[in-house]
Amino acid sequence: MSEGSELSGVDLARVALRAAKEQARQRGEQVRERREAKRTGLRSGARADGRDPVPLGAALNRLITERGWEAPAAVGGVMGRWSQIVGPDIAAHCEPKSYAEAEAVLTVQCDSTAWATQLRLLARQLVARLNHELGHGTVRVIKVLGPDAPVRGYGRLRAPGSKGPGDTWG
């Protein structure tokens, strides 16, 4: 057939079939590219995925859970809510200082020896209350510290290099 002549019948069908196959192949490539883009994360679709915006509280909760920070975060919450958990009387005289996660020990310092003794007597009930708030086994022991002793200044009746009243005999 010459280029000047028109196509008819079977030849026209062959040309149409060839064009349809080419269009189908191009659509197939487009579909494959879309699948690849979805799989590799090149674009976001209409459905929810890990890249969608989430509320701040939900993002923080997910981060805490993924990193295994549940116990330290809960104990940090106790530090902020201490007066609500133990009551205003105890909170006025005792404050939490630190938490050792490995041993599950909460260290509390009191402003007087009388309150330190009282807190030692109440330690079992406080551990139960804290574990009720934080989850079982978060706090096993409460270590109670008395008040800080004032630092003694250097005077003339002091041994050189001495660290206090019990350190005078060498």
Side-chain angles (χ1 to χ4, degrees), residues 82-83 85-96 108-111 115 118-119 122-123 125-126 129:
W82 179 251
S83 63
I85 294 171
V86 299
D89 293 334
I90 294 175
H93 298 282
C94 305
E95 79 176 289
V108 178
Q109 186 166 23
C110 300
D111 61 1
W115 273 103
Q118 183 67 24
L119 199 65
L122 294 172
Q125 288 95 358
L126 283 178
R129 191 180 306 169

Side-chain angles (χ1 to χ4, degrees), residues 11 13 36 39 71 82 84 86 153 155:
D11 293 321
E36 183 70 23
R39 188 167 15 118
W82 179 251
Q84 295 171 351
V86 299

Side-chain angles (χ1 to χ4, degrees), residues 23-127:
Q23 287 176 350
R25 186 177 57 77
Q26 288 176 352
R27 278 195 307 263
E29 287 177 10
Q30 289 173 350
V31 168
R32 194 174 325 112
E33 288 172 359
R34 277 190 235 130
R35 285 183 187 151
E36 183 70 23
K38 189 181 275 188
R39 188 167 15 118
T40 59
L42 295 177
R43 57 172 258 220
S44 179
R47 292 181 185 84
D49 62 5
R51 298 170 292 150
D52 289 341
V54 293
L56 182 61
L60 287 176
N61 286 338
R62 188 174 74 195
L63 178 68
I64 288 170
T65 303
E66 287 174 355
R67 302 287 173 117
W69 294 340
E70 291 93 354
V75 172
V78 166
M79 303 286 187
R81 297 181 302 129
W82 179 251
S83 63
Q84 295 171 351
I85 294 171
V86 299
D89 293 334
I90 294 175
H93 298 282
C94 305
E95 79 176 289
K97 288 295 184 183
S98 65
Y99 175 71
E101 184 179 359
E103 300 87 26
V105 176
L106 178 67
T107 304
V108 178
Q109 186 166 23
C110 300
D111 61 1
S112 70
T113 55
W115 273 103
T117 303
Q118 183 67 24
L119 199 65
R120 284 186 190 101
L121 294 172
L122 294 172
R124 183 175 273 166
Q125 288 95 358
L126 283 178
V127 167

Side-chain angles (χ1 to χ4, degrees), residues 147-162:
D148 284 334
V151 178
R152 290 187 62 180
Y154 290 103
R156 49 187 192 104
L157 299 177
R158 225 59 203 173
S162 168

